[in-house]
Amino acid sequence: MKSVLFVCTGNICRSPSADGILRHLANAKGLALRIDSCGTHGYHIGEPPDHRSIETARAKGVDLSSLRARKLAPQDFEAFDILFAMDQGHMRILEQHCPPEYRHKLQMFLSDESDVPDPYYGSQQDFEHVFALCYKACQDILESEF
């Protein structure tokens, strides 16, 4: 079974949105994938996604409510087939911690390698924008990777 890990800072906005969206899309296509998300920092371990992420996703038919934040673990580099960084800063952290034999698994989430902006200090519109970016990127991932 293919496995995917989405990585952002605190694992409460961007990466759980991508996690929930990819689960939703994979389930709709009947694909069996192992999907998870985590943060580079342990600020919110055990917490659900930000309520604005949950509400934005729910309005689009995607349920994030069961997800809980966790921090990137050393074993994630071996355990997952692809680790998607949500921005260049996350990619640098992944590259610093990734054993050389797993570097080929690291990818930027957006196909043009641009950053998914952090909506945490923004408005509801920022969360809507992030959801739209994540949705399109997850559709692209399913078409190209699986």
Side-chain angles (χ1 to χ4, degrees), residues 37-73:
S37 59
C38 67
T40 56
H41 295 75
Y43 303 137
H44 302 283
I45 292 173
E47 294 178 20
D50 185 285
H51 68 93
R52 297 165 293 178
S53 291
I54 291 174
E55 291 164 10
T56 300
R58 183 179 297 131
K60 310 286 191 211
V62 176
D63 184 13
L64 307 181
S65 64
S66 66
L67 303 178
R68 294 296 177 266
R70 72 175 186 87
K71 186 177 177 188
L72 178 70

Side-chain angles (χ1 to χ4, degrees), residues 37-112:
S37 59
C38 67
T40 56
H41 295 75
Y43 303 137
H44 302 283
I45 292 173
E47 294 178 20
D50 185 285
H51 68 93
R52 297 165 293 178
S53 291
I54 291 174
E55 291 164 10
T56 300
R58 183 179 297 131
K60 310 286 191 211
V62 176
D63 184 13
L64 307 181
S65 64
S66 66
L67 303 178
R68 294 296 177 266
R70 72 175 186 87
K71 186 177 177 188
L72 178 70
Q75 60 269 27
D76 289 332
F77 295 105
E78 181 179 358
F80 289 91
D81 296 315
I82 305 169
L83 290 84
F84 284 111
M86 301 307 271
D87 70 27
Q88 296 292 334
H90 304 130
M91 181 59 86
R92 283 190 295 277
I93 291 170
L94 288 172
E95 289 170 342
Q96 289 170 355
H97 291 84
C98 185
E101 64 269 27
Y102 301 122
R103 292 247 168 96
H104 67 280
K105 297 180 177 189
L106 307 181
Q107 293 184 36
M108 287 295 294
F109 177 54
L110 298 182
S111 61
D112 67 359

Side-chain angles (χ1 to χ4, degrees), residues 131-144:
F131 184 90
L133 286 173
C134 290
Y135 198 93
K136 173 70 171 95
C138 285
Q139 287 177 316
D140 293 346
I141 289 166
L142 283 180
E143 289 176 15
S144 66

